[in-house]
Amino acid sequence: MNAGDAVTTAHHRLACTAALGDAAAMPLIKRSVSLAGHRTSLSLEPEFWAVIDTAIRADGLSLAGLIAQIDEARGLEPLASSMRVWALKRAQGLPDD
């Protein structure tokens, strides 16, 4: 490895470390609900919770009720991913599917 390759490798490692550090610093908010008769918790970023909280107030739903609807429709997808997609669609004004 020549000096140029070593510098490029070092810069790449720093960039990857910085990206991981930024991702690790993203705050998650955990909420617990009863789902299908058992307690479960769901961790999402505050921006997704803001969309979800606004939607349940506007639609007159409970958080548990909305999560149950999404859970029923998600198939094999992870619940947190399904919640994020639902919130994104809601923020974009797209149908919930």
Side-chain angles (χ1 to χ4, degrees):
M1 177 184 308
N2 66 37
D5 290 339
V7 169
T8 300
T9 300
H11 284 158
H12 177 72
R13 285 187 185 141
L14 285 172
C16 289
T17 302
L20 288 174
D22 290 346
M26 292 181 81
L28 293 177
I29 297 174
K30 182 186 275 188
R31 295 194 184 171
S32 297
V33 295
S34 290
L35 184 62
H38 66 280
R39 296 293 288 170
T40 190
S41 59
L42 185 63
S43 296
L44 299 174
E45 295 77 8
E47 295 83 359
F48 289 108
W49 284 123
V51 172
I52 291 165
D53 290 340
T54 300
I56 61 176
R57 279 193 302 275
D59 297 349
L61 293 172
S62 67
L63 177 59
L66 175 63
I67 292 173
Q69 288 177 6
I70 294 168
D71 182 52
E72 189 175 304
R74 72 183 167 106
L76 298 176
E77 295 298 319
L79 180 58
S81 297
S82 297
M83 293 292 295
R84 286 182 180 97
V85 170
W86 184 92
L88 177 62
K89 287 181 175 181
R90 180 68 179 233
Q92 293 174 330
L94 298 173
D96 298 342
D97 292 340

